[in-house]
Structure formats: structure tokens, C-alpha cells
Amino acid sequence: TLSLHDALPIYENQIALEAAIMELALWVEQRGSTDVGGNVRGALSTIEDNLEFVTLGIAELIGPER
């Protein structure tokens, strides 16, 4: 099984990627590409909707508390 120490970076990476992609979406929107910004926001919404499942998957990989 995966340890919490090993699994935490997976979760942290997802959060960091979401933040970076949102910054890019804002930058694109400020330059007038609202369609692209909207598409990025839609994709980020899907990632956010699935965050609970990712978290549960990580918890399952870690296994019962030690």
C-alpha cells in the first residue's frame, strides 16, 4: 500500500495545477479570449467536481490508518 507521506504530493500537485491553470485562464481572459477562458473554467470545474473521488482513491491506496 501507499503511505500517506507518498500520497500527499499527489493531492498537493492537483491543487497546484488547478491554481496554475486558473492563473492562465485569467491571463487569457484579460487579453480578450473569453471563449478560451470559459473552456478552461469548465475543465477546472470538472476537476473540482472529481476532487472528492481523487481524495477517496488516495485514501483507499493508503489503506487503513496505521
Side-chain angles (χ1 to χ4, degrees):
T1 60
L2 199 63
S3 73
L4 178 59
H5 180 265
D6 294 332
L8 189 58
I10 297 169
Y11 177 76
E12 290 174 337
N13 285 344
Q14 180 168 348
I15 300 302
L17 285 169
E18 285 182 65
I21 293 167
M22 179 54 79
E23 287 292 323
L24 290 171
L26 292 170
W27 183 82
V28 166
E29 288 173 341
Q30 289 170 352
R31 280 148 185 79
S33 295
T34 55
D35 289 347
V36 173
N39 291 340
V40 172
R41 287 176 186 274
L44 285 172
S45 177
T46 300
I47 292 170
E48 187 175 324
D49 291 346
N50 292 324
L51 183 58
E52 179 181 353
F53 298 108
V54 171
T55 304
L56 290 173
I58 292 170
E60 190 172 315
L61 287 171
I62 293 171
E65 288 187 37
R66 299 169 196 230

